[in-house]
Amino acid sequence: MTAHTSSMETWLNLARSWERSRLNERPIYLRSLYLELALVQTALHLYHDYDKMLESTEKERLGSSSGKGPHNTTNPREQLKSKLPSLLQEIGTISVAFSIIGPIIYSFTLRGPAWQMSLFIARMFRWDVPYAQELSYIPPYHYMLIIRSLFSSVLLLSLWRISNLAFSVYVAQEPLKRGQPLTQDSNDPNGSLINGLKAKKSVVKSSAYWELLIITRRYPERRVSIFRDIDRQGGAAWSQISSECLRMINGITTRITEYGRPSQQQQAPVKPEDLQSLPRLGGPLREEPVFMSAPSPSSKRQIVEAKVGSFAKSYGDKPVSSYGSPISPKAKAYLETARNKILTPEQQQAMTPANVQSQFNNYLTRFLRSQFGQPFRQTFARRIRSIAFGQPFSELIPIINAVNALTTLATASLKEDSYGKVATDIPLIIRRFITTYQSLERFAAILPPHWTDVEFSDSQRQTEDVRVMLGTLKDGLRELVEAFGGFTAELGIEEKDIRVAKAIAG
């Protein structure tokens, strides 16, 4: 509380022995500036989605299921070096801007509340700080304070932005260890891989599907071990891996189907024996005949109660229309005259409920079209991503990896599957690809936009996520048809599925 390093760091200006200490406003300003920086950094972080993984959904990294596409093998240090210049330039721009507008924002918004809060905290530790300390009319801005705030802003923003960039770069690296898959060092590599595919945590599951894709493309010995691993608890390794991949792919159709169901589901009728009576709050019912006329009141209190009750009953039996308006006709005439004298006919027409609602809708639309209303829009791309690919975290990348891994394993089984386990599942894989493709394509064409998406047009229905997913399914079907199109009778593939798959694959 009473550091003596400099006048910018000391919370209190210590007075002489016969005087009382006073708060130092310079550290209060610096901490208020840090709060402003934190709010701006939070807004930029959410707006630009700095948490988005750098591997994202680029088809250049994913490549085709044949494994001919390039891989994300860039050194993390090289990625950091390539992004640091632009990042440092942005940090410098924000720091200089805040060193200029920071004092203005502090003077008009945070100065009073920050002073009162600091005074309250100081009173908790120092008895000689008076309660009534008024702010000075002129804020304590000094050129050294501005330089100090600029230097602090650069350091603080560098800490936030560079650490976030480094985390994103290193987490987005391939799940390899010394050039081998992470599960290679396990006592049971295939079992560890299957456990990762079945994991509940999205990070573990996404890494497992990515590792499966890498194994199917680059490591033929591991791929062969999957085909030969048939004596395993829970089924053969291929059966468990294909089941998890198909379940992940079928999640698109499942989520779309659940979205189309009515929101209010009919409740099952409650059986009479399941009902539990509430505890009795009043006395038992009267046992004397209820149709007999009540005895005439004898006491004064009973007479008053009877008259009040009869009046209330007669008042409640009348229809509402019989009472008329609570405003007298004369008062209505005065109100009508005053309205005609004060308001013009155009103003009276503008104040009707329909016009007021229309005006409100216009203002709301203008707000949503502005930059300030952009965070409140639910765009079509965001809407279809949350519905088809899951929320709060999208499963697009694991689904794409599952499609490519299944396609690669299926085509490689022609030469490497000595037991013929994969051949029996080829019809199911082709049918699941077709169903998912048709469901997603149909849903993207009929999904209505949200009312806040004021910039929507029909050309935006084919979003980037939808195009990547449909393209991946199309490439998978093309390779499956080319590999197994000549064995439809032997594998039990229906002619209808082959025709549809060829039509989709082009």
Side-chain angles (χ1 to χ4, degrees):
M1 295 294 296
T2 58
H4 297 282
T5 55
S6 68
S7 60
M8 295 185 189
E9 298 177 356
T10 306
W11 276 61
L12 296 176
N13 291 325
L14 297 179
R16 298 180 180 90
S17 59
W18 62 86
E19 294 178 346
R20 306 189 72 177
S21 301
R22 180 177 175 82
L23 280 179
N24 185 10
E25 193 177 357
R26 291 182 176 182
I28 297 177
Y29 165 72
L30 288 176
R31 287 160 179 80
S32 301
L33 179 67
Y34 301 155
L35 176 61
E36 297 171 10
L37 279 175
L39 295 176
V40 171
Q41 173 65 18
T42 302
L44 293 175
H45 191 101
L46 296 176
Y47 181 80
H48 294 288
D49 195 9
Y50 289 148
D51 278 341
K52 186 177 181 180
M53 302 306 297
L54 300 181
E55 33 112 4
S56 188
T57 60
E58 287 82 1
K59 295 186 70 175
E60 290 78 7
R61 184 193 69 81
L62 293 170
S64 62
S65 58
S66 60
K68 300 178 181 179
H71 303 287
N72 186 20
T73 58
T74 307
N75 191 298
R77 294 183 180 180
E78 297 296 330
Q79 296 185 41
L80 289 175
K81 289 181 180 180
S82 63
K83 294 180 180 296
L84 271 181
S86 60
L87 185 63
L88 293 177
Q89 182 180 0
E90 185 178 352
I91 290 173
T93 303
I94 297 176
S95 301
V96 172
F98 258 87
S99 65
I100 298 174
I101 67 175
I104 302 175
I105 299 175
Y106 171 75
S107 300
F108 288 99
T109 58
L110 297 177
R111 192 183 183 202
W115 176 268
Q116 295 297 331
M117 184 178 297
S118 301
L119 185 61
F120 174 77
I121 296 175
R123 284 289 304 176
M124 295 172 60
F125 298 94
R126 296 281 301 196
W127 61 271
D128 58 340
V129 178
Y131 281 111
Q133 286 193 19
E134 298 294 335
L135 277 169
S136 59
Y137 291 102
I138 302 176
Y141 298 143
H142 190 267
Y143 73 93
M144 288 301 298
L145 181 64
I146 302 301
I147 295 176
R148 176 70 176 272
S149 65
L150 175 61
F151 184 70
S152 302
S153 300
V154 170
L155 293 180
L156 193 58
L157 287 173
S158 300
L159 175 64
W160 289 337
R161 298 297 300 276
I162 295 178
S163 59
N164 182 80
L165 176 63
F167 179 82
S168 300
V169 168
Y170 278 95
V171 169
Q173 295 303 301
E174 295 176 338
L176 301 176
K177 181 179 179 182
R178 296 192 294 269
Q180 294 294 325
L182 290 179
T183 57
Q184 188 67 31
D185 295 337
S186 174
N187 295 329
D188 184 9
N190 292 336
S192 300
L193 179 62
I194 293 172
N195 292 334
L197 299 178
K198 297 179 179 180
K200 299 297 183 182
K201 294 183 178 180
S202 59
V203 176
V204 179
K205 183 187 297 185
S206 179
S207 178
Y209 277 100
W210 193 359
E211 182 179 353
L212 174 64
L213 176 63
I214 294 174
I215 290 173
T216 57
R217 288 180 174 180
R218 307 187 202 173
Y219 301 95
E221 65 280 357
R222 282 292 304 273
R223 195 169 59 219
V224 173
S225 69
I226 293 175
F227 296 138
R228 294 180 179 179
D229 190 358
I230 60 175
D231 296 329
R232 171 177 294 277
Q233 184 179 2
W238 157 255
S239 300
Q240 297 188 49
I241 291 175
S242 63
S243 176
E244 291 299 322
C245 291
L246 291 176
R247 184 186 59 81
M248 176 65 71
I249 298 170
N250 191 52
I252 296 178
T253 306
T254 303
R255 285 186 287 268
I256 291 176
T257 304
E258 291 178 354
Y259 175 80
R261 292 176 182 173
S263 57
Q264 296 181 353
Q265 299 181 355
Q266 297 181 354
Q267 298 181 356
V270 182
K271 299 181 180 179
E273 55 268 17
D274 296 337
L275 296 176
Q276 298 180 358
S277 60
L278 296 175
R280 186 182 297 275
L281 301 178
L285 298 176
R286 296 170 56 185
E287 297 181 357
E288 60 269 15
V290 295
F291 294 103
M292 294 179 61
S293 59
S296 57
S298 56
S299 63
K300 186 176 181 179
R301 180 179 178 180
Q302 293 177 354
I303 294 174
V304 174
E305 291 178 353
K307 289 184 178 181
V308 173
S310 61
F311 173 75
K313 291 179 181 178
S314 62
Y315 190 83
D317 291 340
K318 296 180 181 179
V320 179
S321 58
S322 63
Y323 298 116
S325 175
I327 305 177
S328 62
K330 191 173 183 180
K332 285 184 176 181
Y334 284 140
L335 290 175
E336 186 69 23
T337 303
R339 185 178 66 175
N340 294 332
K341 288 184 178 181
I342 296 175
L343 301 176
T344 62
E346 292 78 7
Q347 292 175 338
Q348 296 180 21
Q349 181 66 23
M351 292 180 63
T352 58
N355 288 334
V356 171
Q357 181 68 25
S358 176
Q359 192 71 15
F360 175 77
N361 293 338
N362 291 335
Y363 285 131
L364 182 60
T365 303
R366 291 171 58 184
F367 170 75
L368 291 174
R369 291 182 184 275
S370 65
Q371 293 183 352
F372 298 100
Q374 188 172 0
F376 301 96
R377 297 185 208 162
Q378 187 175 350
T379 60
F380 186 82
R382 188 187 310 168
R383 182 176 171 84
I384 196 171
R385 183 189 303 120
S386 62
I387 296 173
F389 304 115
Q391 57 179 347
F393 304 108
S394 173
E395 294 184 347
L396 175 65
I397 295 297
I399 295 174
I400 291 177
N401 291 338
V403 172
N404 288 331
L406 266 185
T407 305
T408 305
L409 285 172
T411 54
S413 66
L414 290 172
K415 298 179 180 179
E416 300 173 356
D417 182 18
S418 57
Y419 297 104
K421 298 286 293 184
V422 179
T424 58
D425 295 329
I426 296 300
L428 178 61
I429 295 175
I430 294 177
R431 194 177 306 113
R432 188 63 54 84
F433 282 15
I434 293 173
T435 304
T436 305
Y437 184 94
Q438 293 176 341
S439 178
L440 182 59
E441 186 181 38
R442 187 185 312 111
F443 184 70
I446 65 174
L447 177 65
H450 197 260
W451 65 271
T452 58
D453 192 5
V454 292
E455 301 289 345
F456 173 77
S457 62
D458 286 336
S459 60
Q460 300 175 356
R461 290 191 173 275
Q462 288 292 328
T463 64
E464 179 186 1
D465 294 346
V466 173
R467 286 197 300 268
V468 171
M469 189 70 253
L470 294 180
T472 304
L473 291 170
K474 183 184 296 184
D475 294 340
L477 284 173
R478 181 183 301 110
E479 296 185 21
L480 291 176
V481 169
E482 291 176 356
F484 300 98
F487 309 99
T488 56
E490 293 82 357
L491 298 176
I493 305 176
E494 298 182 3
E495 291 293 336
K496 180 183 66 175
D497 294 338
I498 287 294
R499 287 198 304 270
V500 175
K502 289 182 179 180
I504 293 175

